[in-house]
Amino acid sequence: MRRPAASVIAFAPLALALLAGVARAGDIAPGDRRSGRDFMAPETQAMQADDTSNPGMLWVLRGAGLWEQEAGASGQSCTSCHGAAEASMRGVAARYPALDTATGAPIDLTGRISQCRAERQRAPALARESDDLVALATFVAHQSRGLPIAPPQDPRLDPYRTAGRQLFTARMGQLDLSCANCHDDNWNGRLAGSAVTQAHPTGYPLYRLEWQGIGSLQRRMRNCMVGVRAEPFAAGSEEFLALELYLMQRAAGMAMETPGIRP
């Protein structure tokens, strides 16, 4: 199985060397951009729109409880520092991934929550995709529902965004396909009976009927990599963070929907 180079920053200068494996995709025109919700059946759209029917709201409620729960040696909760999430977290998820000034590298919302828990609360780390961490991320992201995605315009993130675009267009796996082959070139088609969307991360963390649970954008990208028979990147890796940065830039201005629902 074939995958792009391990280091994202090292990967960027190698773009010309990878031309043979890069899909020549056309970017989606701004006027043609559509949320994944728009490709769903009316019944699924209605389920997402109704908080009493949206199963993702169970994770929002769980996250709300964890927000108030004291943890770690500090004996503090998220509320102790941030207060009511409805005010302090409004718009936060729409601006992630962002630059972590301590490391000089990008960090996503899940990573920031984990970092805050370890450094501020002095509590044991929560595993990525664990129910508690996903619930906290869903709760925080839910506070930005309806707001436009607003990626940080920090030039220090530009190399990562560039690397993310290169990863998005690089062919990989035994099927020799790139993300762009489906989500740019054939977004108005179907694959195995399912709609091919435009890969705009407006609803994450989101509930997938296939999972019977909620999951992160990175979980969805791992699914896609397995689908093309490529070795998935490690959870929280630079590659996934670069892809998240690029995808959020593609979706700039589109409304946050968390928790979204997809098949």
Side-chain angles (χ1 to χ4, degrees):
M1 289 182 285
R2 187 154 57 106
R3 58 178 285 182
S7 170
V8 168
I9 298 305
F11 177 84
L14 296 178
L16 293 177
L18 292 173
L19 282 178
V22 171
R24 299 193 177 279
D27 291 339
I28 298 169
D32 291 333
R33 291 189 309 169
R34 296 167 61 190
S35 162
R37 178 198 61 236
D38 298 335
F39 295 82
M40 303 300 105
E43 296 82 3
T44 308
Q45 293 177 354
M47 187 185 300
Q48 176 176 311
D50 183 355
D51 285 352
T52 63
S53 298
N54 185 333
M57 292 302 297
L58 295 174
W59 278 261
V60 173
L61 292 173
R62 180 172 182 160
L66 292 167
W67 184 264
E68 301 285 346
Q69 182 177 301
E70 295 176 355
S74 71
Q76 293 185 321
S77 67
C78 302
T79 305
S80 301
C81 291
H82 300 289
E86 292 80 3
S88 64
M89 295 293 108
R90 184 75 173 154
V92 169
R95 300 191 293 270
Y96 271 83
L99 187 79
D100 180 18
T101 54
T103 63
I107 188 169
D108 61 2
L109 181 63
T110 298
R112 182 67 79 195
I113 293 171
S114 295
Q115 184 188 75
C116 194
R117 178 178 169 85
E119 295 181 2
R120 307 290 182 180
Q121 293 179 291
R122 303 199 299 278
L126 296 172
R128 276 190 176 258
E129 303 303 333
S130 65
D131 281 343
D132 282 354
L133 188 53
V134 171
L136 277 166
T138 305
F139 173 68
V140 172
H142 181 64
Q143 310 312 312
S144 298
R145 186 169 65 171
L147 294 181
I149 291 173
Q153 299 307 303
D154 189 328
R156 291 172 293 181
L157 290 171
D158 289 346
Y160 295 93
R161 269 189 279 261
T162 298
R165 189 184 194 287
Q166 291 165 352
L167 287 167
F168 190 81
T169 57
R171 294 181 182 272
M172 62 180 72
Q174 291 179 337
L175 298 188
D176 196 35
L177 292 171
S178 72
C179 309
N181 285 142
C182 288
H183 300 296
D184 276 352
D185 297 341
N186 295 288
W187 60 262
N188 57 348
R190 302 188 75 82
L191 181 64
S194 298
V196 179
T197 67
Q198 297 178 348
H200 292 131
T202 53
Y204 287 90
L206 58 71
Y207 187 94
R208 289 201 76 201
L209 303 178
E210 175 187 345
W211 296 336
Q212 288 295 289
I214 208 159
S216 69
L217 176 58
Q218 289 196 17
R219 180 179 179 182
R220 185 68 188 97
M221 290 192 288
R222 284 198 302 275
N223 280 179
C224 280
M225 293 185 75
V226 170
V228 299
R229 301 176 188 170
E231 179 185 352
F233 303 130
S237 65
E238 286 187 340
E239 291 92 344
F240 272 147
L241 288 171
L243 277 165
E244 283 196 52
L245 275 164
Y246 171 64
L247 292 175
M248 289 294 274
Q249 188 64 52
R250 280 165 60 98
M254 300 179 74
M256 294 279 293
E257 303 169 24
T258 309
I261 299 181
R262 303 292 184 264

